[in-house]
Amino acid sequence: NSYGDIQEYNPQLIKNSHGVSIVKLKGFVDPEGMPKIIGENRIGALINSNNVTHPGIAIEMRLSNELNEELFDQILSTFRFSR
């Protein structure tokens, strides 16, 4: 695909305290200037909702001094889905 290999985004499979499966992805600079799913200075996640109608959610955050990876992890810890 034109977005490259998922491994380029340093994927981390995590499960939060509510049992929600999440793949956390980190953006990066592409030396060739190719389009990326998550760009430089950004972090994102694919969240599995285990719902047939809406199977997942994608979120992305631009990183800064205030909006850092630790805050993003705290946000990911809050996801919870009822059945």
Side-chain angles (χ1 to χ4, degrees):
N1 83 40
S2 64
Y3 294 112
D5 184 356
I6 191 77
Q7 295 303 317
E8 292 178 315
Y9 298 94
N10 191 25
Q12 291 178 290
L13 180 59
I14 57 176
K15 189 171 276 204
N16 73 13
S17 63
H18 304 291
V20 177
S21 296
I22 300 167
V23 177
K24 188 166 79 169
L25 306 167
K26 294 180 183 179
F28 63 96
V29 177
D30 181 4
E32 297 176 13
M34 296 297 293
K36 293 295 169 194
I37 296 171
I38 300 172
E40 178 183 12
N41 296 321
R42 293 179 179 269
I43 193 166
L46 304 173
I47 302 167
N48 184 350
S49 68
N50 287 318
N51 181 295
V52 175
T53 307
H54 306 287
I57 299 168
I59 63 170
E60 180 179 343
M61 184 173 85
R62 183 183 307 243
L63 297 171
S64 69
N65 289 335
E66 297 82 25
L67 302 174
N68 56 37
E69 187 171 352
E70 182 178 339
L71 175 62
F72 190 73
D73 289 344
Q74 290 175 9
I75 292 167
L76 294 179
S77 75
T78 66
F79 280 89
R80 179 181 200 163
F81 300 100
S82 59
R83 296 183 187 224

